[in-house]
């Protein structure tokens, strides 16, 4: 399996050890952590896709095929999922292996995608069994699936990825009976603890790049627009502790937005399957690029520079840009 997945021995050991330790005996007041080393030259290549789990429909298979092509070209180290992993209502339980395989294992089959997938949940995942995707029973079906907690950290030395459970932030969901709030309710306590733990982890981070990943938008020009609950509660933490970017799904589009009052970049990669053509919203931040179709994102990181590209279902580059760490500008 190690050769097929393309993991280094260190990566395999780190993932196995950290998952075992953190799931079995999490440390109070700390976010769980997975260590994923960089390449030997200190660089990192990551693919990002969201809003994908439709059993291959709505061009999910086409997006997956091109992810495999780009993943091979870039020698992708891992994949980030920005949530809504299984439509329409998540998994029914950790024995719902058919749905899991039909939307994940049987779709992302390229050799280059046999790497760890680090997962956040979306609102559609929460309307099923919201605990199933963290279950060892699901990971046993496909060892790529790495969802050790609803919020956790992927530590890659030059970059730390802070995966944040954004669904409970959205107040209106709490008025709907179909959401699974086990191990979350009461909301205020859960969010207060999460924000404190996130702030502590970010303040202690020595990584060159601090990247926060969630499902819901903070700033968006696509159909859902800005998520006011995240603007009020999560955004101040990102600004205070120096996040370089916030990457999300939820809006079924690809977009790059730059903050008008901070160095933050808001990046949406929610084009993994069904897209919402022609549905746009206004945002007060600066819209740099938007595409209302399907596709995915690549990131290439070094100590000095980050390079990004959006791809469509044919593998064509729609838009690319770079950030230099010394200036955090193009």
């Amino acid at each position: 399996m190690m050769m097929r997945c393309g993991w280094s021995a260190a990566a395999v050991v780190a993932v196995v050890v950290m998952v075992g330790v953190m799931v079995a005996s999490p440390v109070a007041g700390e976010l769980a952590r997975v260590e994923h080393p960089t390449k030997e030259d200190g660089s990192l290549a990551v693919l990002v896709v969201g809003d994908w789990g439709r059993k291959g429909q709505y061009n999910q298979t086409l997006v997956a095929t091109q992810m495999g092509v780009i993943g091979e070209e870039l020698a992708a180290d891992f994949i980030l999922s920005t949530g809504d992993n299984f439509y329409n209502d998540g998994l029914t339980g950790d024995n719902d292996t058919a749905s899991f395989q039909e939307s994940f294992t049987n779709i992302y089959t390229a050799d280059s995608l046999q790497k760890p997938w680090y997962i956040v949940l979306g609102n559609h995942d929460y309307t099923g069994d919201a605990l199933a995707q963290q279950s060892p029973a699901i990971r046993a079906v496909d060892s790529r699936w790495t969802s050790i907690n609803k919020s956790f950290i992927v530590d890659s030395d030059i970059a730390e990825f802070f995966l944040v459970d954004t669904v409970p932030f959205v107040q209106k969901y709490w008025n709907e009976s179909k959401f699974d709030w086990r191990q979350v309710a009461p909301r205020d306590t859960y969010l207060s603890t999460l924000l404190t733990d996130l702030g502590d982890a970010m303040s202690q981070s020595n990584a060159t790049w601090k990247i926060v990943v969630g499902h819901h938008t903070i700033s968006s020009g696509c159909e859902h627009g800005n998520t006011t609950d995240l603007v009020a509660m999560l955004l101040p933490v990102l600004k205070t502790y120096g996040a370089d970017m916030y990457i999300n799904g939820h809006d079924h589009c690809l977009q790059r937005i730059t903050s008008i009052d901070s160095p933050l970049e808001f990046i949406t990669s929610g084009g993994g399957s069904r897209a919402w053509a022609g549905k746009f919203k206004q945002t007060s931040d600066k819209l740099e690029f938007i595409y209302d179709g399907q596709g995915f994102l690549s990131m290439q990181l070094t100590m000095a520079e980050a390079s990004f590209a959006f791809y469509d279902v044919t593998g064509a580059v729609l838009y690319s840009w770079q950030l230099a760490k010394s200036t955090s500008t193009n």
Side-chain angles (χ1 to χ4, degrees), residues 208-209 244 302-306 323-329:
T208 301
W209 301 98
D244 294 287
T302 68
M303 289 285 287
E305 185 177 81
L323 299 175
K325 192 56 188 179
S326 58
T327 60
S328 293
T329 59

Side-chain angles (χ1 to χ4, degrees), residues 263-276:
L264 259 173
E265 300 250 334
F266 302 103
I267 303 170
T268 297
S269 183
S273 58
R274 188 177 184 179
W276 297 326

Side-chain angles (χ1 to χ4, degrees), residues 42-95:
S43 68
L44 196 67
V46 181
L47 301 183
V48 186
V49 66
D51 303 84
W52 44 266
R54 296 186 184 272
K55 301 180 180 180
Q57 298 178 343
Y58 296 99
N59 286 344
Q60 183 191 358
T61 301
L62 294 180
V63 173
T65 297
Q66 295 306 323
M67 287 177 64
V69 172
I70 301 304
E72 183 174 357
E73 289 180 3
L74 302 183
D77 294 287
F78 59 82
I79 297 91
L80 293 171
S81 171
T82 57
D84 278 0
N85 307 314
F86 302 98
Y87 287 94
N88 283 319
D89 294 304
L91 299 177
T92 60
D94 62 9
N95 60 349

Side-chain angles (χ1 to χ4, degrees), residues 10-315:
V12 172
V13 170
V15 170
V16 171
V17 170
M18 294 306 292
V19 169
V21 170
M22 290 302 182
V23 171
S25 55
V27 178
E30 293 184 5
L31 294 176
R33 183 178 294 267
V34 172
E35 294 183 1
H36 193 119
T38 61
K39 294 179 172 64
E40 290 185 0
D41 64 1
S43 68
L44 196 67
V46 181
L47 301 183
V48 186
V49 66
D51 303 84
W52 44 266
R54 296 186 184 272
K55 301 180 180 180
Q57 298 178 343
Y58 296 99
N59 286 344
Q60 183 191 358
T61 301
L62 294 180
V63 173
T65 297
Q66 295 306 323
M67 287 177 64
V69 172
I70 301 304
E72 183 174 357
E73 289 180 3
L74 302 183
D77 294 287
F78 59 82
I79 297 91
L80 293 171
S81 171
T82 57
D84 278 0
N85 307 314
F86 302 98
Y87 287 94
N88 283 319
D89 294 304
L91 299 177
T92 60
D94 62 9
N95 60 349
D96 189 7
T97 56
S99 295
F100 178 79
Q101 291 174 309
E102 289 169 355
S103 282
F104 179 65
T105 303
N106 299 345
I107 304 298
Y108 302 100
T109 57
D111 287 345
S112 65
L113 303 182
Q114 308 307 307
K115 305 291 177 64
W117 284 59
Y118 299 119
I119 308 296
V120 296
L121 299 186
N123 48 295
H124 284 276
D125 300 308
Y126 255 91
T127 58
D129 183 333
L131 303 180
Q133 294 184 44
Q134 291 88 56
S135 171
I138 290 296
R139 182 170 171 80
V141 176
D142 193 319
S143 62
R144 294 177 291 172
W145 191 261
T146 309
S147 179
I148 63 171
N149 210 333
K150 289 180 179 176
S151 298
F152 63 100
I153 300 167
V154 179
D155 185 348
S156 292
D157 189 26
I158 64 169
E160 284 195 341
F161 299 82
F162 302 88
L163 279 64
V164 177
D165 180 23
T166 63
V167 179
F169 284 87
V170 184
Q171 179 69 63
K172 67 179 182 180
Y173 294 155
W174 290 80
N175 299 322
E176 301 180 30
S177 61
K178 64 181 179 179
F179 282 81
D180 180 6
W181 297 125
R182 288 175 298 159
Q183 299 184 14
V184 175
R187 174 177 180 265
D188 290 349
T189 301
Y190 182 83
L191 295 181
S192 176
T193 300
L194 173 55
L195 290 170
T196 297
D197 292 348
L198 176 63
D200 288 346
M202 292 184 69
S203 70
Q204 295 166 17
S205 173
N206 293 317
T208 301
W209 301 98
K210 297 181 185 180
I211 302 170
V212 180
V213 181
H215 177 65
H216 290 82
T217 61
I218 291 180
S219 183
S220 173
C222 293
E223 184 183 25
H224 285 306
N226 298 357
T227 304
T228 56
D229 299 296
L230 293 188
V231 171
M233 290 184 280
L234 181 59
L235 181 57
V237 176
L238 272 55
K239 289 181 175 180
T240 298
Y241 296 107
D244 294 287
M245 63 200 76
Y246 176 74
I247 302 176
N248 60 271
H250 195 49
D251 265 333
H252 296 189
C253 64
L254 306 173
Q255 63 181 333
R256 176 199 177 199
I257 293 173
T258 52
S259 171
I260 60 172
D261 61 3
S262 78
L264 259 173
E265 300 250 334
F266 302 103
I267 303 170
T268 297
S269 183
S273 58
R274 188 177 184 179
W276 297 326
K279 297 183 178 180
F280 302 110
K281 290 279 181 70
Q282 293 293 320
T283 179
S284 60
D285 293 300
K286 184 180 180 183
L287 182 62
E288 306 282 358
F289 172 80
I290 192 166
Y291 175 67
D292 58 347
Q294 293 118 334
F296 61 98
L297 171 73
S298 72
M299 295 190 292
Q300 298 179 81
L301 304 174
T302 68
M303 289 285 287
E305 185 177 81
S307 299
F308 306 84
F310 285 125
Y311 304 85
D312 68 10
V313 296
T314 71

